[in-house]
Amino acid sequence: MTPGAQDRFNIIGLLAEREITLEEAAQALQLSPRQVERLRAAYNKAGHTALNHGNQGRTPAHATPPEVRDRIIELATGKYAGFNHTYLTELLVADEHINVARATVHRILHAAHIGSPQPTRRRSQHRVKRPRRERAGAMLQMDGSTHRWCEDRAGKMTIISAIDDATSRLWCIGRESEDLEGYMRLLRSIILQWGIPGSIYTDRSALAAGASNRFKMVDKIHLGPSQLKRALTELGSILILANSAEAKGRIERSNATLQDRLVSYLHSVEAQSLRDLNFHLTPFLEHHNSRFVRPPESSTPGWKTWDLPFLIDDVLCIKESRVVARDHTVRVFGATYRISLDVVPGQLVMVHRRFDGSTGIFSGWKLIAGDAASPAPGEGRPVR
């Protein structure tokens, strides 16, 4: 019996024994005398059970069925073990067709003593938040995150990510380590699908800044630019180097989200290698972007169209200068290339070492030896 029913039972009992009047019982129960009279009649007929609410003991119409609760607990401790409750709820709706609210999932799992894992956060220095770019494609933040993405099923691997500052759209590629090829390949796929970003915001790693002492000049001589900065300059984009991790907080927070959600997802699909990681990134990013992408403030895109006179693989490559020998040859990592007689011995030429394994030797943008780059699918057509 509930406390309210107990109070009604005591007062109606006193009324039935004529120890209090009808008006006193009505005042104590805050009911009308007519309603109290009905309660007394029901009490005299059926006893204390007549004073209980009519819905007592009934299952609510909106209650989660026991089999659904059991299924949620089974998935939370099995297939989706370690998933936070918000992400678990999204996958229950999308993949398991269990339409429940996050609060319901939390209540069921809390009753079963299954907590939601949360990343450890530390208090940091207060900083003024930089506003988002207004146009999609105006700025991409890029970074690499090394982690045990497949837990103990594989060693540490690196995910190189790019996030659009205006919309939070995310692109990723898995690599053995954070390397130039990973950045170049990720940029290539983005450019072919979306266009050339207005700028790239990344940290001051040697990969981006170009030298081990990457903060200042050495003996008043400017250090040479990195291959990444050189490629972005040729594309008409800008490389911005952050002075702190907080300055590129959007990609840092995205890495933390990946280390939570992606690890859980890869656990559920039993990914065991870098190849598995890259294979499962596609469906994961589709779901992730459908959940987190937001519309930009401006409808005018910040992407630049590809209207350059050269192919993308002759930009996103490693370029090095060589001197033409007297016998009109150039040596590149043990291979000898014969150069056209139109080129003067002693002249500087550029070697393009592409990531598909081919090599081209150029005078300006004219191919004079080696292999020509193959056009990428869709290259040369307007991009959105």
Side-chain angles (χ1 to χ4, degrees), residues 11 69 92 99 103 135 147 201-202 253 267 350 384:
I11 294 172
R69 292 200 301 269
L92 289 176
N99 294 314
R135 298 185 298 163
H147 189 66
Y201 201 17
T202 186
R253 290 189 295 273
H267 176 86
M350 294 301 299
R384 54 180 175 177

Side-chain angles (χ1 to χ4, degrees), residues 99-140:
N99 294 314
V100 289
R102 183 203 173 278
T104 301
V105 173
H106 175 76
R107 184 170 58 253
I108 292 172
L109 297 183
H110 180 74
H113 306 289
I114 303 172
S116 179
Q118 295 292 336
T120 301
R121 301 183 184 275
R122 61 181 177 86
R123 188 178 300 275
S124 59
Q125 178 184 355
H126 173 72
R127 297 175 183 268
V128 178
K129 188 176 182 180
R130 177 183 58 79
R132 291 175 179 264
R133 291 291 194 266
E134 295 182 354
R135 298 185 298 163
M139 174 191 285
L140 301 187

Side-chain angles (χ1 to χ4, degrees), residues 73-237:
I73 293 173
E74 177 187 353
L75 290 170
T77 56
K79 181 178 180 181
Y80 299 126
F83 284 44
N84 69 58
H85 291 178
T86 301
Y87 189 28
L88 173 60
T89 303
E90 294 173 12
L91 294 181
L92 289 176
V93 174
D95 296 344
E96 307 297 334
H97 308 292
I98 301 177
N99 294 314
V100 289
R102 183 203 173 278
T104 301
V105 173
H106 175 76
R107 184 170 58 253
I108 292 172
L109 297 183
H110 180 74
H113 306 289
I114 303 172
S116 179
Q118 295 292 336
T120 301
R121 301 183 184 275
R122 61 181 177 86
R123 188 178 300 275
S124 59
Q125 178 184 355
H126 173 72
R127 297 175 183 268
V128 178
K129 188 176 182 180
R130 177 183 58 79
R132 291 175 179 264
R133 291 291 194 266
E134 295 182 354
R135 298 185 298 163
M139 174 191 285
L140 301 187
Q141 295 187 23
M142 297 188 73
D143 194 24
S145 177
T146 302
H147 189 66
R148 286 192 175 273
W149 299 102
C150 296
E151 300 168 305
D152 294 334
R153 301 182 303 279
K156 286 188 176 181
M157 295 177 285
T158 298
I159 285 184
I160 299 175
S161 306
I163 190 169
D164 183 63
D165 192 72
T167 66
S168 291
R169 182 175 295 278
L170 185 67
W171 300 269
C172 299
I173 186 174
R175 302 288 297 172
E176 292 289 352
S177 60
E178 186 174 4
D179 59 352
L180 177 63
E181 182 175 354
Y183 277 80
M184 294 284 199
R185 286 190 179 277
L186 182 58
L187 273 174
R188 184 181 189 273
S189 64
I190 295 172
I191 290 171
L192 290 176
Q193 183 179 6
W194 295 89
I196 302 172
S199 61
I200 298 294
Y201 201 17
T202 186
D203 56 22
R204 290 179 174 270
S205 63
L207 186 151
S212 57
N213 185 348
R214 53 195 177 277
F215 296 97
K216 300 179 181 179
M217 295 183 295
V218 177
D219 297 329
K220 298 183 179 181
I221 299 175
H222 284 280
L223 299 172
S226 67
Q227 292 287 342
L228 182 61
K229 183 175 182 179
R230 185 269 313 156
L232 291 174
T233 301
E234 291 177 4
L235 293 172
S237 186

